[in-house]
Amino acid sequence: MASPFTQLQKILKHEIQDGYRNRIVIGGIGRFADHWYRQARAALKEHDPEILLILEAIYADLRRYEAADIEERRRLIEGIETRIQEALQRERELRASRPAPAVTPPPSEPAPAPPTPPVEKPREEPSMPAPSPRPERTVPGRARSRGAPPVPPKLAAKVEALGLDAPVHLIHGVGRERAQRLARLGVQTIRDLLVLLPRRYVDFRALKPIHRLRIGEEVTVIGEVMDIGSKQTGNGLTVIKALLTDGSGVIECTWFNQPYLLDRIKPGQFIVVSGRVDEFLGRPVFRSPEWEPADRELLHTARIVPIYPLTEGLTQRLMRSILKRVVDYWADRVEDPIPAWIREAYGFPDLPTALKQVHFPEDWEPLEKARRRLAFDEVFYLQIGLLEVRRRWRSVPGRALAFDETALQRAIEALPFSLTGAQYRALDQILTDIRSGVPMNRLLQGEVGSGKTVVAALAAYAVFLAGAQSAIMAPTEILAEQHYRTLIALAERWAGAGLPTPTIRLLTSGVSGAERAQIYGELAEGTCHLVVGTHALIQEEVAFQDLAFVVIDEQQRFGVLQRAALRGKGYNPHVLVMTATPIPRTLALTLYGDLDLSVLDEMPPGRRPVLTRWLMPEERERAYTFIRRQVEQGRQAYIICPLVEGSDKIEAKAAVEEYERLQREVFPDLRLGLIHGRMKSEEKEAIMSAFARGEIQILVATPVVEVGVDVPNATVILIEGADRFGLAQLHQFRGRVGRSSYQSYCLLLAESPSESAIERLRAIETIYDGFQLAQKDLEMRGPGDFLGTRQSGFPEMRLADLTDLRLLEIAREAAERLAERDPDLQAPEHRHLAEAVSRFWQGPVEPS
């Protein structure tokens, strides 16, 4: 142990540097003197009287220090330093006069034992055992591997036999109680632990001397414990305080409700402390820092430290300790499922290396490479599964439909408008599919108003000309009725042009009795050629004579089983799914890799852009005046509120309260309607139908109208709390207007938008193209909204950043190259890959 005089010398050095202001140690030099004197007397009890006399003289001067002025303090320290030099010289003389100890050769080291898996011992140790002393010092940042503890051979053999599928309670330091807690995090096996990735990381590698610490920085300090003690607060809290010095200064470290630290941390011990530097009475302090003995491999300090997800009963220190044992032993035993030629082609590290670096990184660069490798795995497995679904779908026998192309061309010419180039392109892709002998499985993507319904209607007309039946399923009755009216109007024009006309029926829950029975009969007999409906189409009683074409509108609103049920009404029918959510192409190919993709990226001629303006709260009355002027001209309006009820926490207008206020105070002479998510379906349908008929002039609504009825007469939409919505949702709202030749307007009201919200509002003011906005939204907010467009049961993406379009392209390219070599993953070298894909999809990949 260092001499107490050397310790005092360090403190006085910092006191001189601080200008003799008596603040370098907590409580001042006087209080420190009592503590130092007790320690010194205990350390020097066997020394000669000369040193003890020096000690007493130093102690007397230290006691006088607090009451002295600056000049007197300077003289006192000069005298104390002279006495310290005398004491140190006397200690050197005493050491030189002692006989040297006999030198005993060190015993030869035994050969290292072979590694054994870190498994549970028969008798569990205490949850937090005192650390055993180690003779070696470890340089911070250079980790020394902790060997796995010895285990009973029988238990070790059991774990080895189970491998990564061994239950976690067999791991040393876990046991059954902690295993139950880990289960709350989804961890059951060793494999689950390896993929329980840190939520974030803290960089504690900044090693600084105490006198250079700055408030707020996250740093690491290595020093000697001067003193440690505890006290009880009035509310029963145990506070542990330790003084740490590194020769440049002293800092106080505080821990709460950890009394066992008194047995772990001892005066004179060198420890490593990492944490955020806080301030107390003008001095830097550590509150609840991480700490470790300086002579051990550093796991919690002086490195990039992982922060894991937790649950009750688990701490970060415990999680890191468990994960370190598991990663050290098991990472190298993990078989890498990604073929070496793919890793080499795209520059990815192998899986064992990635697992080590993602849990306990050496630096940020290898960590980033590890995370990118694991993210690639997720997207790669996703693409393999989607390509397998696509391959299976295309491998089943389909039906090639032959139709009168001249009649279809006449039907196109009979339309009251000209198709856009994008509509022609999408229709041609669909017709090519239904002519082939392969079942179509295609996504038609286009924002609101781009003309998806007309494309689907023309494809259904071609199927009618081929003598088969079609079905269009919509998520709501009102949307189904809208499609039905559109199709009836088209059929009337075709009839007027002398073309054969299909029989079209509407089947929803609102259709009952004799009418429903009649439709059932027509579908079974084949006299109903095209049926539009809701979930009523997939009822068991519904049977088709020859269903060859299925259209699913707003497909994200339906689950896997619902879509499969409609397909099951025919024999491998051609399937077209439609969505009004614009998605960047690379992301669409990732999320919908099992589908062929058609995009409507042009708006029909005559449609004017919806003029969009962001208004300040004080401009609300101007917005109301503008809405009234539009209504007086015979138009209609929406007012969107983000909530159903008021909330103290969220400064947004509540739809119910706003409706009552607007009807009473702002528009008492106009006809207002209200719709929100807590209303029954029949109520919402009735309100929306009344609005579509013009019986309601202003519709106050929550976001339930994001996907809704087509009301061409609505020309203005006012969105309250616009800063609370993402770009994709704001664009969907805006799509409720601008559906005619009338100029339409979108007014955005935001109370106190954040910087990111301001960026969104400015973007939607100037960008009218839905796909450009989708790309902007993807960059700003990530892929969460777009992931929501996929059916439930879609594999979870833990690491993959779906804004990283380059990674998505690489994963799809690699999956396609692999499919060319081994589409079924039957090759022996792909066995582990097949298992990994199956685990990712949680079972065999099935068509959706």
Side-chain angles (χ1 to χ4, degrees), residues 569-646:
K569 300 292 183 180
Y571 177 73
N572 297 333
H574 298 286
V575 176
L576 178 69
V577 296
M578 303 194 300
T579 179
T581 303
I583 304 175
R585 182 174 180 82
T586 302
L587 181 58
L589 289 173
T590 298
L591 297 179
Y592 301 98
D594 53 329
L595 305 174
D596 294 311
L597 182 63
S598 294
V599 178
L600 298 182
D601 50 9
E602 298 177 52
M603 297 298 285
R607 292 283 179 90
R608 303 184 189 180
V610 179
L611 295 180
T612 306
R613 294 291 179 268
W614 166 28
L615 305 177
M616 303 303 290
E618 56 268 24
E619 297 179 280
R620 183 175 278 105
E621 292 302 323
R622 286 181 57 198
Y624 293 156
T625 301
F626 184 79
I627 290 174
R628 176 178 289 278
R629 195 177 303 127
Q630 288 287 302
V631 172
E632 288 172 352
Q633 294 174 13
R635 310 281 83 81
Q636 292 167 272
Y638 295 94
I639 296 179
I640 306 298
C641 299
L643 300 174
V644 174
E645 295 178 351

Side-chain angles (χ1 to χ4, degrees), residues 383-663:
Q383 287 302 299
I384 290 175
L386 292 175
L387 290 177
E388 171 65 8
V389 170
R390 176 183 177 138
R391 191 178 65 83
R392 291 187 189 181
W393 181 260
R394 296 173 70 86
S395 67
V396 299
R399 179 175 173 186
L401 298 175
F403 53 88
D404 186 339
E405 299 194 21
T406 301
L408 179 61
Q409 183 59 41
R410 289 177 58 198
I412 294 173
E413 293 168 356
L415 296 174
F417 47 78
S418 298
L419 296 180
T420 65
Q423 286 175 309
Y424 270 118
R425 185 170 58 249
L427 180 60
D428 183 62
Q429 292 168 342
I430 293 168
L431 296 177
T432 299
D433 285 348
I434 65 177
R435 288 192 199 98
S436 72
V438 177
M440 177 174 67
N441 199 24
R442 182 171 291 276
L443 170 67
L444 179 60
Q445 181 189 356
E447 58 183 300
V448 173
S450 59
K452 296 185 299 298
T453 304
V454 172
V455 172
L458 289 169
Y461 187 67
V463 173
F464 158 70
L465 294 174
Q469 293 172 294
S470 300
I472 300 177
M473 186 164 69
T476 64
E477 289 193 20
I478 196 161
L479 196 53
E481 290 173 1
Q482 177 178 302
H483 288 329
Y484 175 70
R485 289 194 299 270
T486 298
L487 291 167
I488 289 296
L490 291 175
E492 290 173 352
R493 295 190 70 89
W494 292 331
L499 291 167
T501 306
T503 300
I504 305 172
R505 295 288 182 258
L506 175 67
L507 181 59
T508 66
S509 59
V511 178
S512 59
E515 185 180 3
R516 176 177 287 255
Q518 178 184 345
I519 295 174
Y520 284 173
E522 292 177 352
L523 290 174
E525 295 166 3
T527 55
C528 172
H529 308 107
L530 173 57
V531 62
V532 184
T534 56
H535 298 77
L537 291 176
I538 60 177
Q539 299 302 312
E540 188 175 346
E541 300 85 357
V542 177
F544 292 80
Q545 184 192 65
D546 186 14
L547 179 62
F549 182 48
V550 169
V551 178
I552 301 171
D553 192 19
E554 296 301 335
Q555 63 85 31
Q556 70 272 15
R557 305 278 289 272
F558 296 101
V560 175
L561 297 179
Q562 292 167 322
R563 294 201 299 271
L566 183 57
R567 285 202 311 267
K569 300 292 183 180
Y571 177 73
N572 297 333
H574 298 286
V575 176
L576 178 69
V577 296
M578 303 194 300
T579 179
T581 303
I583 304 175
R585 182 174 180 82
T586 302
L587 181 58
L589 289 173
T590 298
L591 297 179
Y592 301 98
D594 53 329
L595 305 174
D596 294 311
L597 182 63
S598 294
V599 178
L600 298 182
D601 50 9
E602 298 177 52
M603 297 298 285
R607 292 283 179 90
R608 303 184 189 180
V610 179
L611 295 180
T612 306
R613 294 291 179 268
W614 166 28
L615 305 177
M616 303 303 290
E618 56 268 24
E619 297 179 280
R620 183 175 278 105
E621 292 302 323
R622 286 181 57 198
Y624 293 156
T625 301
F626 184 79
I627 290 174
R628 176 178 289 278
R629 195 177 303 127
Q630 288 287 302
V631 172
E632 288 172 352
Q633 294 174 13
R635 310 281 83 81
Q636 292 167 272
Y638 295 94
I639 296 179
I640 306 298
C641 299
L643 300 174
V644 174
E645 295 178 351
S647 168
D648 295 333
K649 296 181 179 179
I650 304 178
E651 297 176 4
K653 296 295 181 182
V656 175
E657 297 170 357
E658 186 71 348
Y659 165 74
E660 295 172 350
R661 187 186 72 84
L662 290 170
Q663 183 71 85

Side-chain angles (χ1 to χ4, degrees), residues 177-185 309-316 318-319:
E177 182 178 344
R178 286 176 180 161
Q180 292 175 357
R181 293 169 181 165
L182 286 169
R184 300 179 203 148
L185 300 175
L310 297 177
T311 187
E312 185 179 358
L314 298 176
T315 65
Q316 286 296 340
L318 177 62
M319 290 294 290

